[in-house]
């Protein structure tokens, strides 16, 4: 029966991998038959390990069953199986949808975002699909258990159990071998199933999702990053070179202290903005505005989530590969803040968001940022709370108008939109039938763009316009359009646009490579001088600034320089995507090591 249980769970593990491949059919379609076979073959190694965990539990039960009637063992075997099926099915179903959005197999990361808005991106149809898959798996494998395993469990007699007690104890102890996955010093890990040098999805599909989740839960929430990824001495030398430009900037503003309005657009990737090479007609207002200010054409998000983007913008601090620093107030207390620096320079500061500021621990971060005023979901009438994430953007822009009319100058106001987040349930009727998720995303972006354009049109008529710098960027990129993989550098490309009546220069484009972390010192340089405490931020308007950008995702990073760049996978320990010459990886590795070490110290 023990062997039958092992076979039962190995079949289950293979089936859930096939379900994953079918659920992500658009991604699986680019794989050939050989690659699909290797996914199952390489993944079987981890399947055996996960089945070993379950078999160890069964083995302990059968070992101690010698002290109880045989009927007891049969019943408990059934209940353990049901609980394991429920647990495994829940992990599988949640992973199916999260992977499409996040690009990595489920681990302990979702627990960082549990809260009132945690399920805001789940549409009704996604919930129905997930429920059907969950109960389909549960029903099918309960049927298989009743037909195959239950008769074997029912035939166990007390005499047999007593005779096998010692044997089962030895077999249970032996489960350490399949669980560990090798006889070497390296235990089972995700890298053991990686096999493809250029298709991360193939490697991800080979991972046993239940094993991945269980392994991540065993890790400490306070992850300590390695200090030996790159030589410390060389790291310091490289970082000094990357940020060695003298404190000199190109003035772009009229004399005096300008107001600063920072607008952070949810998920506005460059792929939807025509002047940046994106699809035509999706953001007509923003397309037009790109010709009225300073447009940075090679600008990147630091991470792939809103909380990471907000920290990168306001603190000039890069995203992390396994954690989000915003979840640890003890660390964020020690970060530099753009709002604090401007407040020290006499600015009145405020933050406006139509959602729940408690989601993803954002409120503690904003509290540490010492904004004079915070407007979030609680500040809006309940009748306006009509989206799954909170107040739709047209209500938010109405509130922004009211707050701007009464703002004390000079002001620094940060605005974060939300309507272009899944499930894209915006109150805008499209001219065409919205069939795919990409259609819904593009429609939501068009909706937010409409009200952004109306707000800017209104702002141009206000007395504060001529003394205001408006900074428009995004919190992160998006997998749409094109359902790009998480490791695709195009997924991290976002806009950065400077406009407003405070500009003293003619509209133009700048092609210097930069990223979200550079916004802080770029603004500070125009309002009194940059601050060295923003160690990962350069002034993009400094003629001597070194052009480069770095971005981070789960267990990997990208590093872009003029004419070249690469994507590095920490699990595979290699470059998985190369853009141009990648013979010298030193600058990117040094940047990653500098971030690792800085995070550990905070």
């Amino acid at each position: 029966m023990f062997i039958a249980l092992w076979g039962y769970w190995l079949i289950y593990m293979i089936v859930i991998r096939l379900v994953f491949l079918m659920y992500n059919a658009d991604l699986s379609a680019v794989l050939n038959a050989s690659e699909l076979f290797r996914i199952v073959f390489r993944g079987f190694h981890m399947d055996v390990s996960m089945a070993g965990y379950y078999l160890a539990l069964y083995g302990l039960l059968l070992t101690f069953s010698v002290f109880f009637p045989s009927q007891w063992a049969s019943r408990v075997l059934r209940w353990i199986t049901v609980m394991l099926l429920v647990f495994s099915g829940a992990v599988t179903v949640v992973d199916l949808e999260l992977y499409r959005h996040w690009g990595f197999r489920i681990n302990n990361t979702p627990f960082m975002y549990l809260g009132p808005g945690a399920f805001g991106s789940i549409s009704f149809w996604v919930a129905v699909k997930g429920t059907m898959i969950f109960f389909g798996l549960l029903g099918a494998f309960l049927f298989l258990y009743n037909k195959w395993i239950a008769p074997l469990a029912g035939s166990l007699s007390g005499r047999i159990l007593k005779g096998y007690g010692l044997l089962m104890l030895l077999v249970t102890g032996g489960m350490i071998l399949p669980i560990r996955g090798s006889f070497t010093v390296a235990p089972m890990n995700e890298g053991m199933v990686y096999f493809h040098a250029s298709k991360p999805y193939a490697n991800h599909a080979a991972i046993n999702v239940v094993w991945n989740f269980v392994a991540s839960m065993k890790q400490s929430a306070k992850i300590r990053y390695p200090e030996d990824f790159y030589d410390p001495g060389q790291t310091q030398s490289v970082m000094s070179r990357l940020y060695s430009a003298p404190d000199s900037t190109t003035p772009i503003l009229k004399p005096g202290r300008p107001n600063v309005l920072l607008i952070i657009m949810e998920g506005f990737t460059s792929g939807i903005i025509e002047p940046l090479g994106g699809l035509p007609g999706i953001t007509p207002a923003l397309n037009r505005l790109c010709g009225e200010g300073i447009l940075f054409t090679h600008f990147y998000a630091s991470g792939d989530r809103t909380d990471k983007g907000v920290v990168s913008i306001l603190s000039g601090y890069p995203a992390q590969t396994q954690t989000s620093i915003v979840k640890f107030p003890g660390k964020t207390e020690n970060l530099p803040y753009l709002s604090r620096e401007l407040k020290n320079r006499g600015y009145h500061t405020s933050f406006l968001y139509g959602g729940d500021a408690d989601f993803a621990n954002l409120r503690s971060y904003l509290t540490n940022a010492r904004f004079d005023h915070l407007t979030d979901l609680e500040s809006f009438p309940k009748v306006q709370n009509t989206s799954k994430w909170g107040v739709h953007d047209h209500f938010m822009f109405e509130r922004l108008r009211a707050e701007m009319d009464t703002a004390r100058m000079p002001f620094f106001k940060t605005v974060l939109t939300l309507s272009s987040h899944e499930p894209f349930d915006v109150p805008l009727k499209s001219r065409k039938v919205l069939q795919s998720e990409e259609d819904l995303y593009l429609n939501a972006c068009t909706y937010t763009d409409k009200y952004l354009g109306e707000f800017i049109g209104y702002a141009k008529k206000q007395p504060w316009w001529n003394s205001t710098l408006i900074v428009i960027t995004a919190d992160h990129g998006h997998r749409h359009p094109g359902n790009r993989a998480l490791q695709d550098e195009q997924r991290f490309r976002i806009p950065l646009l400077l406009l407003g009546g405070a500009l003293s220069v003619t509209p133009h484009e700048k092609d210097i490579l930069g990223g979200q972390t550079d916004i802080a010192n770029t603004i500070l340089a125009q309002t009194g001088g940059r601050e060295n405490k923003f160690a990962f931020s350069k002034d993009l308007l400094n003629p001597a600034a070194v052009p480069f950008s770095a971005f981070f995702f789960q267990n990997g990073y990208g590093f872009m320089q003029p004419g070249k760049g690469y994507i590095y996978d920490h699990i595979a320990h290699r470059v998985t995507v190369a853009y141009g010459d990648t013979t010298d990886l030193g600058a990117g590795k040094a940047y990653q090591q500098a971030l690792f070490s800085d995070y550990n110290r905070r």
Side-chain angles (χ1 to χ4, degrees), residues 288-289 292 455-466 499:
R288 182 180 67 255
L289 293 173
E292 299 180 8
F455 170 77
I456 298 297
Y458 161 83
K460 290 178 178 179
K461 302 174 184 177
Q462 306 310 307
W464 47 262
W465 170 261
N466 287 331
L499 74 159

Side-chain angles (χ1 to χ4, degrees), residues 172-236:
T172 301
M175 286 297 101
I176 187 65
L177 294 177
I179 289 173
R180 198 172 187 278
S182 75
F183 293 97
T184 67
V185 295
M188 174 59 65
N189 60 81
E190 300 100 311
M192 287 185 174
V193 303
Y194 273 38
F195 68 92
H196 211 296
S198 60
K199 295 181 180 178
Y201 172 72
N203 297 326
H204 296 167
I207 293 173
N208 182 295
V209 65
V210 185
W211 183 96
N212 196 64
F213 181 76
V214 171
S216 72
M217 294 304 294
K218 293 191 296 182
Q219 298 174 354
S220 170
K222 295 183 178 179
I223 293 175
R224 183 172 181 83
Y225 288 107
E227 293 287 353
D228 59 353
F229 181 67
Y230 197 67
D231 179 79
Q234 294 186 45
T235 293
Q236 185 176 2

Side-chain angles (χ1 to χ4, degrees), residues 491-563:
R491 180 164 172 164
F492 290 85
R493 285 194 62 193
I494 60 172
L496 175 62
L497 175 64
L498 309 181
L499 74 159
L503 287 178
S504 62
V505 297
T506 57
H508 63 280
E509 293 183 356
K510 292 189 72 70
D511 61 359
I512 182 173
L513 265 169
Q516 285 175 325
T517 57
D518 300 323
I519 290 176
N521 261 332
T522 301
I523 292 176
L524 290 171
Q526 296 294 316
T527 57
R530 74 181 189 189
E531 291 285 346
N532 291 331
K533 64 183 65 176
F534 293 86
F536 294 93
S537 182
K538 62 179 179 287
D539 173 13
L540 294 172
L541 296 171
N542 186 333
V546 177
F548 75 92
S549 186
F551 52 86
F552 303 87
F553 51 88
Q554 186 75 13
N555 291 317
Y557 71 92
F559 194 80
M560 307 301 296
Q561 294 174 288

Side-chain angles (χ1 to χ4, degrees), residues 59-77:
L60 288 173
L61 168 68
L62 292 175
T63 298
F64 288 102
S65 65
V66 298
F67 302 107
F68 302 96
S70 58
Q71 296 85 352
W72 177 90
S74 177
R75 293 193 191 101
V76 175
L77 277 173

Side-chain angles (χ1 to χ4, degrees), residues 330-360:
K331 290 182 178 290
T332 59
E333 285 177 357
N334 301 316
L335 289 175
Y337 288 89
L338 177 58
S339 51
R340 285 189 189 180
E341 295 307 315
L342 290 176
K343 190 171 182 177
N344 291 338
R345 298 180 185 187
Y347 280 76
H348 303 278
T349 63
S350 59
F351 191 97
L352 170 59
Y353 176 49
D356 185 354
D358 288 315
F359 182 67

Side-chain angles (χ1 to χ4, degrees), residues 240-252:
S240 296
R241 176 172 57 83
L242 291 176
Y243 293 99
S244 62
D247 191 3
S248 176
T249 192
T250 302
I252 61 169

